[in-house]
Amino acid sequence: VVEAKTTLEPHWLASSICFVADSSTDLLCFEVRDSADAQSIIGHGCTPFVREAAQSDSEAASFAAHLSAGLDLTFEVVPQLPAPPPRPPTRPPPSPVPLVPPLRRDSTAGRVAQLNERFRVGAPASDLESAGVLVRQFDTLDDPAHPWLPCPADQWCAGFGDRWPTSIINTGARHLYYADGKGGVVIAPTVSIFCAYAEDGNSMDGSKVCNPLGGNGVTCIPGCYPKGQECPDIGHAWSCSFPPTQLKEALQAQQDRSDMRARNNEIVIDTSTLVAQMPEVILGFFYISDEAYSRQIRRKFLQFYDLGEEEGPLLVRLDLSSPDAPFSLP
């Protein structure tokens, strides 16, 4: 059964005219199509055709087309196959790792001034760049041979290789984890973070180690509390972590309590995004008291990435007692 449509019409097939021997009547074959959809074949059939009306296949097809309105055509309906099921949705591609701009050609003094400006205007914000300057002190979670990289798989600290504890510093946040003058690195604000703490969050706790590394973002988040135990879930800012989308709230929580202002905040970064952006992601090597060690590590960095003295990261002194310009050249 075919739904009655005024758009159905026969399409005569010149190559399908069947001439019957010793007969003046032949069979003219046709397809039935919907003129609203020229590619749709509804059915097919044949009808008697008087040979005297035309002498060739092409003439027969042309002549039959003129007669089609007056012919009573019957045809066999072509079975319509069901439409194929929709393709399952594909998983969206992972978000690309943000890339830092190429190494800047600003003067050394100009780059130091930029760090001091970010320190001076930094305040609780949803993005790392507006919050201040992101720094990390050297410790045992570094690659022993390349301290600007996270712990490698063949070291005791391999289980912590997916994260680095760092801190945001600005005029309202002037404390680092180690008070003994350890130096470290200044990190570009283009890395991704796993979570943020208003104070030291003990990100090395055994319950915050994920297998496999990197976690699943729900029941295990490297260095952080799992979903359901984050600060917004429990309603306070201690013994919990803030998700990446609430960096501003974490930094504001530090400012809201005098005891937290007297300590460092902890920003747990995803080291895979750090490694992917080497070497540009390291903006500088800083020292507080031991200039020689930071200078030595910077020299190894320049050699490792084949960088010149002027294009490589800064070597700067960090003095957090300075009102608004803690970074200076040696």
Side-chain angles (χ1 to χ4, degrees), residues 23-35:
S23 174
S24 62
T25 302
D26 301 312
L27 296 178
L28 180 60
C29 299
F30 60 91
E31 293 175 344
V32 178
R33 300 190 185 187
D34 188 339
S35 63

PDB file of all heavy atoms in Angstrom, residues 23-35:
ATOM      1  N   SER A  23       4.263  -9.414 -32.452  1.00  0.00           N
ATOM      2  CA  SER A  23       3.151  -8.762 -31.764  1.00  0.00           C
ATOM      3  C   SER A  23       3.270  -7.268 -31.961  1.00  0.00           C
ATOM      4  O   SER A  23       4.362  -6.727 -32.061  1.00  0.00           O
ATOM      5  CB  SER A  23       3.156  -9.097 -30.271  1.00  0.00           C
ATOM      6  OG  SER A  23       2.168  -8.344 -29.602  1.00  0.00           O
ATOM      7  N   SER A  24       2.124  -6.629 -32.094  1.00  0.00           N
ATOM      8  CA  SER A  24       2.150  -5.175 -32.221  1.00  0.00           C
ATOM      9  C   SER A  24       2.131  -4.487 -30.866  1.00  0.00           C
ATOM     10  O   SER A  24       2.155  -3.273 -30.783  1.00  0.00           O
ATOM     11  CB  SER A  24       0.937  -4.703 -33.047  1.00  0.00           C
ATOM     12  OG  SER A  24      -0.264  -5.064 -32.374  1.00  0.00           O
ATOM     13  N   THR A  25       2.038  -5.271 -29.795  1.00  0.00           N
ATOM     14  CA  THR A  25       1.998  -4.708 -28.437  1.00  0.00           C
ATOM     15  C   THR A  25       3.227  -5.166 -27.665  1.00  0.00           C
ATOM     16  O   THR A  25       3.521  -6.360 -27.598  1.00  0.00           O
ATOM     17  CB  THR A  25       0.726  -5.158 -27.693  1.00  0.00           C
ATOM     18  OG1 THR A  25      -0.409  -4.744 -28.433  1.00  0.00           O
ATOM     19  CG2 THR A  25       0.696  -4.549 -26.302  1.00  0.00           C
ATOM     20  N   ASP A  26       3.932  -4.239 -27.126  1.00  0.00           N
ATOM     21  CA  ASP A  26       5.112  -4.542 -26.313  1.00  0.00           C
ATOM     22  C   ASP A  26       4.865  -4.072 -24.876  1.00  0.00           C
ATOM     23  O   ASP A  26       3.822  -3.510 -24.552  1.00  0.00           O
ATOM     24  CB  ASP A  26       6.341  -3.840 -26.884  1.00  0.00           C
ATOM     25  CG  ASP A  26       6.601  -4.274 -28.325  1.00  0.00           C
ATOM     26  OD1 ASP A  26       6.592  -5.491 -28.563  1.00  0.00           O
ATOM     27  OD2 ASP A  26       6.804  -3.379 -29.162  1.00  0.00           O
ATOM     28  N   LEU A  27       5.863  -4.306 -24.036  1.00  0.00           N
ATOM     29  CA  LEU A  27       5.777  -3.873 -22.638  1.00  0.00           C
ATOM     30  C   LEU A  27       6.746  -2.722 -22.402  1.00  0.00           C
ATOM     31  O   LEU A  27       7.927  -2.813 -22.740  1.00  0.00           O
ATOM     32  CB  LEU A  27       6.110  -5.035 -21.690  1.00  0.00           C
ATOM     33  CG  LEU A  27       5.152  -6.225 -21.735  1.00  0.00           C
ATOM     34  CD1 LEU A  27       5.644  -7.316 -20.788  1.00  0.00           C
ATOM     35  CD2 LEU A  27       3.742  -5.791 -21.359  1.00  0.00           C
ATOM     36  N   LEU A  28       6.221  -1.666 -21.847  1.00  0.00           N
ATOM     37  CA  LEU A  28       7.048  -0.504 -21.519  1.00  0.00           C
ATOM     38  C   LEU A  28       7.232  -0.467 -19.997  1.00  0.00           C
ATOM     39  O   LEU A  28       6.260  -0.391 -19.252  1.00  0.00           O
ATOM     40  CB  LEU A  28       6.375   0.784 -21.989  1.00  0.00           C
ATOM     41  CG  LEU A  28       7.135   2.081 -21.720  1.00  0.00           C
ATOM     42  CD1 LEU A  28       8.481   2.058 -22.422  1.00  0.00           C
ATOM     43  CD2 LEU A  28       6.314   3.274 -22.197  1.00  0.00           C
ATOM     44  N   CYS A  29       8.480  -0.578 -19.553  1.00  0.00           N
ATOM     45  CA  CYS A  29       8.757  -0.650 -18.112  1.00  0.00           C
ATOM     46  C   CYS A  29       9.021   0.746 -17.544  1.00  0.00           C
ATOM     47  O   CYS A  29       9.498   1.640 -18.238  1.00  0.00           O
ATOM     48  CB  CYS A  29       9.955  -1.555 -17.855  1.00  0.00           C
ATOM     49  SG  CYS A  29       9.672  -3.258 -18.419  1.00  0.00           S
ATOM     50  N   PHE A  30       8.710   0.890 -16.279  1.00  0.00           N
ATOM     51  CA  PHE A  30       8.837   2.207 -15.654  1.00  0.00           C
ATOM     52  C   PHE A  30       9.125   2.055 -14.157  1.00  0.00           C
ATOM     53  O   PHE A  30       8.949   0.990 -13.569  1.00  0.00           O
ATOM     54  CB  PHE A  30       7.550   3.023 -15.845  1.00  0.00           C
ATOM     55  CG  PHE A  30       6.328   2.364 -15.231  1.00  0.00           C
ATOM     56  CD1 PHE A  30       5.963   2.643 -13.912  1.00  0.00           C
ATOM     57  CD2 PHE A  30       5.563   1.463 -15.963  1.00  0.00           C
ATOM     58  CE1 PHE A  30       4.851   2.037 -13.354  1.00  0.00           C
ATOM     59  CE2 PHE A  30       4.456   0.858 -15.404  1.00  0.00           C
ATOM     60  CZ  PHE A  30       4.087   1.139 -14.093  1.00  0.00           C
ATOM     61  N   GLU A  31       9.588   3.141 -13.564  1.00  0.00           N
ATOM     62  CA  GLU A  31       9.711   3.274 -12.114  1.00  0.00           C
ATOM     63  C   GLU A  31       8.737   4.342 -11.655  1.00  0.00           C
ATOM     64  O   GLU A  31       8.442   5.282 -12.398  1.00  0.00           O
ATOM     65  CB  GLU A  31      11.126   3.697 -11.706  1.00  0.00           C
ATOM     66  CG  GLU A  31      12.184   2.646 -11.972  1.00  0.00           C
ATOM     67  CD  GLU A  31      13.576   3.162 -11.656  1.00  0.00           C
ATOM     68  OE1 GLU A  31      13.751   4.398 -11.521  1.00  0.00           O
ATOM     69  OE2 GLU A  31      14.480   2.321 -11.565  1.00  0.00           O
ATOM     70  N   VAL A  32       8.237   4.194 -10.449  1.00  0.00           N
ATOM     71  CA  VAL A  32       7.377   5.216  -9.866  1.00  0.00           C
ATOM     72  C   VAL A  32       8.191   5.962  -8.812  1.00  0.00           C
ATOM     73  O   VAL A  32       8.732   5.352  -7.890  1.00  0.00           O
ATOM     74  CB  VAL A  32       6.119   4.601  -9.227  1.00  0.00           C
ATOM     75  CG1 VAL A  32       5.273   5.689  -8.575  1.00  0.00           C
ATOM     76  CG2 VAL A  32       5.314   3.864 -10.286  1.00  0.00           C
ATOM     77  N   ARG A  33       8.295   7.269  -9.006  1.00  0.00           N
ATOM     78  CA  ARG A  33       9.057   8.095  -8.063  1.00  0.00           C
ATOM     79  C   ARG A  33       8.191   9.225  -7.541  1.00  0.00           C
ATOM     80  O   ARG A  33       7.180   9.583  -8.135  1.00  0.00           O
ATOM     81  CB  ARG A  33      10.302   8.667  -8.738  1.00  0.00           C
ATOM     82  CG  ARG A  33      11.249   7.590  -9.265  1.00  0.00           C
ATOM     83  CD  ARG A  33      12.556   8.196  -9.703  1.00  0.00           C
ATOM     84  NE  ARG A  33      13.429   7.204 -10.315  1.00  0.00           N
ATOM     85  CZ  ARG A  33      14.684   7.435 -10.667  1.00  0.00           C
ATOM     86  NH1 ARG A  33      15.203   8.645 -10.472  1.00  0.00           N
ATOM     87  NH2 ARG A  33      15.419   6.495 -11.223  1.00  0.00           N
ATOM     88  N   ASP A  34       8.642   9.764  -6.440  1.00  0.00           N
ATOM     89  CA  ASP A  34       7.969  10.924  -5.855  1.00  0.00           C
ATOM     90  C   ASP A  34       8.681  12.157  -6.378  1.00  0.00           C
ATOM     91  O   ASP A  34       9.875  12.347  -6.142  1.00  0.00           O
ATOM     92  CB  ASP A  34       8.062  10.858  -4.326  1.00  0.00           C
ATOM     93  CG  ASP A  34       7.225  11.929  -3.641  1.00  0.00           C
ATOM     94  OD1 ASP A  34       6.909  12.934  -4.296  1.00  0.00           O
ATOM     95  OD2 ASP A  34       6.917  11.744  -2.448  1.00  0.00           O
ATOM     96  N   SER A  35       7.978  13.002  -7.109  1.00  0.00           N
ATOM     97  CA  SER A  35       8.620  14.179  -7.697  1.00  0.00           C
ATOM     98  C   SER A  35       9.158  15.131  -6.636  1.00  0.00           C
ATOM     99  O   SER A  35      10.002  15.973  -6.917  1.00  0.00           O
ATOM    100  CB  SER A  35       7.641  14.925  -8.608  1.00  0.00           C
ATOM    101  OG  SER A  35       6.532  15.403  -7.853  1.00  0.00           O
TER     102      SER A  35
END
